[in-house]
Amino acid sequence: MSGRRTLLRTALARATVGLAVVAASLFVAPPASADPASEANDAITAAYDGSGGPGGPLGVREGGVYPVGAGFGQNFAAGKMFFTPATGAHWMQGAVLEKYESLGGPADSDLGFPTIDEGPGRVGPDSRNTTFSAPDKPVIFWTPATGARVVRGALNAAWDRLGGSAGVLGVPAEDEVYRGDVVSQKFTGGELTWNRKDKTFTTVPPGLVDQLRDLSVPEDAESAIAAARRAAGGPLGPLGAKDGPQYAIGDDGAGQNFAGGKIFYTPQTGANVVTGQVLEKYESVGGPEGDLGFPTSSEADGGLGSNSRIGTFAAEDRPVIFWTPDYGAVIVRGAMNAGWAKLGGAKGPLGAPVADQTENGDVVTQRFSEGVLSYNRSTGRFSTEPAELAAQLAGLEVPGEEVPKAPATPSSSAAEDDGEWLSWRWNWWWLLALIPVLIIVGLVTGAVLWSRRRDRRDERFRDDEDIFDRAMYEPAARPESGEGDDERRRFAETYGFHESPPESAAAPAPADPFAPQDDPDSVDTAPTRIEEPRPQSALEEPSLPVSGPDEPSPARPEELFRQPEPEPAEREPGPAQPEAEAFVGAPFVVAPFVEDAPSGRHAAIDIDEPTPGRTAIHLPLDDSGAAPAGYPVKADTRTGLYWTPGSRGYDDVAAEIYFASEEFARTNGFVRGD
């Protein structure tokens, strides 16, 4: 029984808890989500109460909160209040409110929402002003004398720098005025002007501009597009109302559509308006992302009044789109635009463009209402119809051309240039083709010059060989005949040989070296020609002996047999000695030892011998293995080595010359061979 009661109590407790949960879910409502209208109502109510409520400047409420533009508004008997979460709730009334709504108010103007309540300006209670949320920081400023005026952007920044309404310029007397890229505004104390293309101010009085030179005027796409729209007439102009939000184009471009056209913007080109058939033509070739680029100016009168419109674009060849009701929108660019503009454009003798340009090879042609313009890219020449117009285009710079063309005489008519695309054109490819030709010509010329030089040197060497042969071996050139002296002297001077000492009373003339000598130690030097190795070519270097690290360096041929400088000493005069014997195998002869006798180009070799007057070298005897008396040192001119008696190999060497001592062998560049 007790167990049943326990189970019953447990069941009743669980049922009670379930009923309590159900009841709680029925009576507890979920948290309400945020309501923008309620938020706006609360903010406007708080601001209204803060201004004095029904007894304040706004008076009693007239209806509830309503959406407008990107926020909300509420009407009062003496004004209105507007709200966005970013700006808060602020009110305005009277002339300031009327000006704001005349420009489109929070829904259609480019001022944005108010950021402060309307209040007195810096010049006193007789002025009123309100600021707005647009990026260019506009303000509406009112005085009884000037009315309500908007000051914004660069002009507002400059006005603030100069002291605002309490400064030298005073209060705004008129709204801004646009003249192309220049906007200006008059104040009670002067005037401000801003050029949006070159980013410069001008002022009245002029001295005020010095205070604005370092003023930075930031620009953004929204403000620039709004300014371009105002310059085109605002909501009441040809653009009309906005058509959707602003959108990005490329990396830094932007666009804004309107009911009657579009505005395109980049930091480089600014914001510019394109409408009607000019816009249609522009977008048919790709618009701002086509090869024309972004517009660089807003569409304007083409010079023919209301019957023409023109827009300019940013491509390198400076294109324009020109519209007339007769021919529609036509693109004029590059050479055609340069020549057409030089001749006065649509108001000039060519008139308005009729159709886009055509190309035939290098010749570009475009027809205009009053004539034809052609340009040949290969010659850089214009031709025109009428023909006399071409003279005005001589030397004209053509934008967009890769290779500048030299000025040329203009042709008389467009027909003369029709076949010029077949003419010979000199360009960089031909210059590149000439490079290998010039290299070949240079190589051939160098080879010819080298060959001629070698022939001249060989011919000179052969001439010198003939002179040597005649001087040494031909009887007509012997000294006793007196013939051949000039040739022998020239040869000796050319190669640095010694001349025979001059005759004197102290030293009688030497005997003929080709005649038998009285000296019993000398050999019979009859004029018998000795076979010798072939002379080296004039272009070859003579082979010189190579010395060891501790031995004297071998002498060059002209240095062989040159004697050392003698020590100064008094010597007794002795008889003159005969001239040296001719040395076979080297192009020179050895001077005899003559005491105190003048010599030729080289001084005579001097040795300390008991018997004066002996030479330093001696040619081999008939028996080449036997040394002449007084000449024990053997030498070989081919190897540059010498051997002394008793040294290894001495007996086996066939000497070509003999020296009187080792000293003379070493002095003349020979190296010990053992």
Side-chain angles (χ1 to χ4, degrees), residues 275-323:
T275 64
Q277 292 189 40
V278 174
L279 176 62
E280 292 179 9
K281 182 71 173 183
Y282 179 48
E283 293 188 319
S284 72
V285 294
E289 296 180 295
D291 70 341
L292 295 182
F294 277 78
T296 57
S297 65
S298 291
E299 180 184 314
D301 176 16
L304 304 178
S306 60
N307 289 327
S308 65
R309 304 291 292 173
I310 188 172
T312 62
F313 300 88
E316 185 180 2
D317 60 352
R318 302 174 189 173
V320 303
I321 296 178
F322 195 90
W323 173 86

Side-chain angles (χ1 to χ4, degrees), residues 152-162 169 182-185 187 191-218:
R152 62 190 309 168
L155 299 181
N156 189 30
W159 185 42
D160 280 346
R161 168 66 68 87
L162 296 173
L169 288 179
V182 177
V183 57
S184 60
Q185 189 165 13
F187 295 79
E191 185 174 0
L192 285 171
T193 300
W194 168 251
N195 188 314
R196 72 180 182 101
K197 288 296 184 183
D198 59 21
K199 313 296 184 186
T200 58
F201 286 101
T202 55
T203 62
V204 177
L208 299 177
V209 74
D210 293 336
Q211 303 179 47
L212 306 178
R213 295 193 187 282
D214 62 342
L215 180 61
S216 175
V217 180

Side-chain angles (χ1 to χ4, degrees), residues 198-591:
D198 59 21
K199 313 296 184 186
T200 58
F201 286 101
T202 55
T203 62
V204 177
L208 299 177
V209 74
D210 293 336
Q211 303 179 47
L212 306 178
R213 295 193 187 282
D214 62 342
L215 180 61
S216 175
V217 180
E219 182 180 88
D220 61 280
E222 181 179 345
S223 298
I225 289 173
R229 184 194 186 196
R230 294 195 304 274
L236 302 179
L239 288 173
K242 287 184 179 180
D243 183 11
Q246 179 181 301
Y247 52 89
I249 303 174
D251 295 334
D252 57 358
Q256 175 69 61
N257 297 348
F258 297 88
K262 295 182 179 182
I263 296 177
F264 300 99
Y265 166 85
T266 68
Q268 297 75 32
T269 61
N272 298 289
V273 177
V274 189
T275 64
Q277 292 189 40
V278 174
L279 176 62
E280 292 179 9
K281 182 71 173 183
Y282 179 48
E283 293 188 319
S284 72
V285 294
E289 296 180 295
D291 70 341
L292 295 182
F294 277 78
T296 57
S297 65
S298 291
E299 180 184 314
D301 176 16
L304 304 178
S306 60
N307 289 327
S308 65
R309 304 291 292 173
I310 188 172
T312 62
F313 300 88
E316 185 180 2
D317 60 352
R318 302 174 189 173
V320 303
I321 296 178
F322 195 90
W323 173 86
T324 60
D326 294 332
Y327 307 112
V330 179
I331 298 173
V332 188
R333 64 191 309 172
M336 298 296 95
N337 188 28
W340 180 54
K342 179 65 180 292
L343 294 173
K347 295 189 292 184
L350 290 179
V354 172
D356 294 344
Q357 68 183 30
T358 60
E359 298 187 19
N360 182 8
D362 288 331
V363 179
V364 183
T365 301
Q366 189 159 18
R367 301 192 66 83
F368 295 83
S369 60
E370 305 298 329
V372 179
L373 181 63
S374 294
Y375 178 75
N376 190 312
R377 292 193 177 106
S378 65
T379 63
R381 294 189 300 175
F382 283 96
S383 57
T384 61
E385 293 180 4
E388 62 271 13
L389 299 177
Q392 302 179 46
L393 306 178
L396 180 64
E397 179 183 355
V398 176
E401 290 293 329
E402 294 183 0
V403 180
K405 300 294 190 299
T409 303
S411 59
S412 60
S413 66
E416 294 180 3
D417 288 330
D418 290 343
E420 288 188 359
W421 64 276
L422 295 174
S423 64
W424 175 272
R425 290 191 297 168
W426 184 267
N427 53 42
W428 290 107
W429 291 108
W430 288 107
L431 292 179
L432 292 176
L434 282 177
I435 291 175
V437 175
L438 294 176
I439 292 174
I440 293 172
V441 170
L443 292 175
V444 172
T445 302
V448 170
L449 293 176
W450 180 85
S451 177
R452 289 181 177 177
R453 181 180 178 188
R454 182 189 62 184
D455 292 343
R456 288 196 300 269
R457 293 180 64 182
D458 289 347
E459 181 178 354
R460 177 183 174 186
F461 181 77
R462 287 193 296 271
D463 292 343
D464 290 342
E465 277 188 315
D466 294 340
I467 295 171
F468 178 79
D469 289 343
R470 290 197 300 273
M472 296 298 297
Y473 301 110
E474 294 182 7
R478 291 182 180 176
E480 63 268 18
S481 66
E483 299 178 1
D485 288 345
D486 292 339
E487 291 185 352
R488 290 198 303 133
R489 184 176 297 105
R490 186 182 69 79
F491 185 83
E493 290 176 352
T494 300
Y495 289 99
F497 298 156
H498 298 290
E499 296 180 355
S500 299
E503 296 181 358
S504 67
D512 185 352
F514 297 95
Q517 303 297 312
D518 294 336
D519 188 352
D521 295 331
S522 64
V523 298
D524 182 10
T525 55
T528 302
R529 187 167 185 134
I530 302 173
E531 294 296 329
E532 61 183 70
R534 180 183 61 83
Q536 290 176 308
S537 169
L539 296 181
E540 299 176 358
E541 289 289 338
S543 299
L544 301 178
V546 180
S547 62
D550 298 327
E551 299 174 336
S553 300
R556 299 184 61 84
E558 64 269 19
E559 296 173 345
L560 290 175
F561 311 110
R562 184 176 298 167
Q563 75 282 9
E565 291 292 334
E567 293 291 332
E570 295 184 358
R571 302 181 63 181
E572 295 181 0
Q577 298 300 317
E579 290 184 349
E581 301 163 86
F583 169 63
V584 178
F588 34 71
V589 293
V590 180

